[in-house]
Amino acid sequence: RVNSYLLNSKRNSLAIGKSTLDIKSAENCKGFSETVRQLPVIEEYKFWNWFAGVLDGDGNFDIRKNTDGKRVLKQIRIKLHNRDVRILTRIQNYLHIGRIITDKNKPYSIFVVSTKKEMEHIISKVNGLIRLKLPSFIDACKYCNINYIEATYKIGLYDPYFSGLIDTDGSIVFNYAGNRIECNLEFQYN
């Protein structure tokens, strides 16, 4: 039996209780051992895969040349129409970083992360998940001294990445003439 002691997470300094961890007892051919392993809750996996889809859809790794002519990462941005501002607030509430900029004269809002530490955190979490914004993402990895990990291009069943992509660049509509539900994604070939 496992007591519900609170543990401190080294990764993000949050208290972890029994409700946030799935604790399992290891089993072998002789029965259960006394070894207890902590399995992370799937929510973090879901968020980062979904977030990678959002970044690939309407995200931007803003790489510019500084005064020395060296390419640097200035910001990570996600620009969405104001009707989708809930997506940006969900991201900000989960990450506890960044800011949302809204111009009253324009119909869109932008989520912006601009400190090096926060950008490094995001890049390390979505490394291996970005599939479309590769040139700027690879440059962002170089800027942060993070080894780029190529994503697998086969998107698995129920992968949250796909829903993030649909949330930004897609739509789900009912085709009355064909009596079917259609999922549409718009891509621009460069």
Side-chain angles (χ1 to χ4, degrees), residues 79-84 102-109:
K79 181 178 176 181
L80 295 173
H81 194 277
N82 285 336
R83 71 176 173 261
D84 297 324
T102 303
D103 186 347
K104 66 179 180 175
N105 297 324
K106 298 188 178 162
Y108 57 82
S109 297

Side-chain angles (χ1 to χ4, degrees), residues 130-166:
I130 297 294
R131 294 168 172 93
L132 301 176
K133 304 282 172 106
L134 287 180
S136 60
F137 182 70
I138 291 170
D139 285 348
C141 286
K142 288 177 186 173
Y143 172 72
C144 295
N145 294 322
I146 296 173
N147 291 328
Y148 164 72
I149 300 171
E150 187 174 2
T152 175
Y153 288 94
K154 182 176 181 183
I155 299 173
L157 186 63
Y158 306 119
D159 191 333
Y161 172 86
F162 190 61
S163 64
L165 205 53
I166 291 171

